[in-house]
């Protein structure tokens, strides 16, 4: 997505903030808040394991390093290398990922697991509510081209590229491959929109991509599910 939107941005003479936003929202999918429930609905609870690996070691790992780097570089005041490294190291999702890997062998008491589950269940509704409160559909007319550009890449071209590479070229098959491509077809990541806003990128474009992408993906994911049945 970085290379794609870099050259598209140069070709269309897009503002730096817009290019950075497209890189973040067009390249990072909502593989957790939206992705895990959708994988469970289409493939069953057994497929959640593959989805979690794609989410933690894929989307959030890329967000923690490349995403923060892109956001910093395309912000109004690009950080120095040391400042960028500091942002990556103290980025909460990155710290949470490291902590999760360290705590894999630890067994929790049942009440701790239940408490964490209840707290985790509130995350998706709150995140979607925060995006919904910022959504202004009246802005779509002014951002139509960029929204369509970003979502076309995120919902169609990105999963298609993975399909062509791994299925057609390398011959990968099975449910794990189906779930991987299905996760790649998820709409834009909410956390990426938050990062774009924090770095003073194009926040309106980011929010539109998240909100409209969620609505469109109910159709696009269904299409991808049926197309992937032969994989």
């Amino acid at each position: 997505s970085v290379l794609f939107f870099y050259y598209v941005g140069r070709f269309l003479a897009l503002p730096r903030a817009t290019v950075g936003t497209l890189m973040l929202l067009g390249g990072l999918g909502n593989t957790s808040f939206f992705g895990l429930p959708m994988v469970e609905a289409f493939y069953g609870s057994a497929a959640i394991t593959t989805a979690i690996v794609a989410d933690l070691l894929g989307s959030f790992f890329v967000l923690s390093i490349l995403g923060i780097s892109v956001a910093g570089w395309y912000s109004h005041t690009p950080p120095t290398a040391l400042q960028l490294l500091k942002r990556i190291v103290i980025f909460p999702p990155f710290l949470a990922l490291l902590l999760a890997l360290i705590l894999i062998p630890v067994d929790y008491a049942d009440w701790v697991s239940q408490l964490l589950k209840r707290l985790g269940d509130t995350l998706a509704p709150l995140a979607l509510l925060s995006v919904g409160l910022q959504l202004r559909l009246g802005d779509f007319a002014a951002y139509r081209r960029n929204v369509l550009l970003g979502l076309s890449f995120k919902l169609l071209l990105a999963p298609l590229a993975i399909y062509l590479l791994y299925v057609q070229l390398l011959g990968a098959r099975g449910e794990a491959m189906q779930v991987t491509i299905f996760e790649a077809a998820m709409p834009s990541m909410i956390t990426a929109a938050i990062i774009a806003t924090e770095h003073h990128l194009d926040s309106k474009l980011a929010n539109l991509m998240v909100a409209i992408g969620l609505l469109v993906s109910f159709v696009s994911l269904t299409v991808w599910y049926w197309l992937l049945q032969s994989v």
Side-chain angles (χ1 to χ4, degrees):
S1 70
V2 173
L3 291 176
F4 177 83
F5 288 115
Y6 172 77
Y7 287 109
V8 168
R10 293 191 62 179
F11 178 76
L12 297 177
L14 297 176
R16 283 176 55 85
T18 299
V19 174
T21 302
L22 288 172
M23 288 180 179
L24 287 173
L25 277 297
L28 294 167
N30 195 338
T31 53
S32 180
F33 301 151
F34 189 71
L36 296 182
M38 292 299 282
V39 168
E40 185 174 13
F42 279 91
Y43 292 96
S45 57
I48 291 293
T49 301
T50 302
I52 290 176
V53 172
D55 176 52
L56 293 180
L57 299 182
S59 299
F60 269 93
F61 187 72
V62 172
L63 174 68
S64 300
I65 298 177
L66 184 59
I68 290 295
S69 301
V70 167
W73 178 255
Y74 282 92
S75 63
H76 294 307
T77 55
T80 64
L82 184 60
Q83 290 173 328
L84 186 59
L85 179 61
K86 181 180 178 181
R87 290 182 186 181
I88 293 173
V89 172
I90 66 174
F91 185 48
F94 183 70
L95 295 176
L97 176 60
L98 293 179
L99 184 62
L101 293 175
I102 294 172
L103 294 178
I104 286 177
V106 177
D107 292 325
Y108 299 101
D110 289 339
W111 69 270
V112 175
S113 298
Q114 288 297 321
L115 176 62
L116 293 175
K117 183 179 184 302
R118 291 297 180 89
L119 291 174
D121 289 342
T122 66
L123 185 58
L126 288 175
L128 294 174
L129 176 62
S130 67
V131 173
L133 290 174
Q134 299 178 62
L135 177 62
R136 300 291 183 273
L137 291 178
D139 294 329
F140 178 71
Y143 289 83
R144 180 173 58 247
R145 182 192 64 178
N146 294 335
V147 170
L148 293 177
L149 177 63
L151 291 181
S152 295
F153 181 87
K154 183 69 206 68
L155 302 177
L156 176 62
L157 295 181
L160 179 61
I162 295 176
Y163 171 81
L164 293 175
L165 174 62
Y166 287 97
V167 176
Q168 296 298 324
L169 185 61
L170 300 179
R173 292 289 188 276
E175 186 177 84
M177 192 68 248
Q178 293 179 28
V179 173
T180 299
I181 299 173
F182 193 73
E183 279 280 67
M186 290 296 157
S188 301
M189 181 189 285
I190 294 175
T191 310
I194 296 172
I195 296 300
T197 301
E198 288 180 346
H199 286 77
H200 306 290
L201 300 182
D202 197 332
S203 59
K204 289 185 178 181
L205 173 60
N207 290 328
L208 282 169
M209 285 186 63
V210 168
I212 295 174
L214 283 171
L215 297 175
V216 174
S217 65
F218 282 103
V219 176
S220 63
L221 286 173
T222 302
V223 174
W224 273 112
Y225 172 76
W226 289 110
L227 291 176
L228 293 172
Q229 291 305 292
S230 60
V231 174

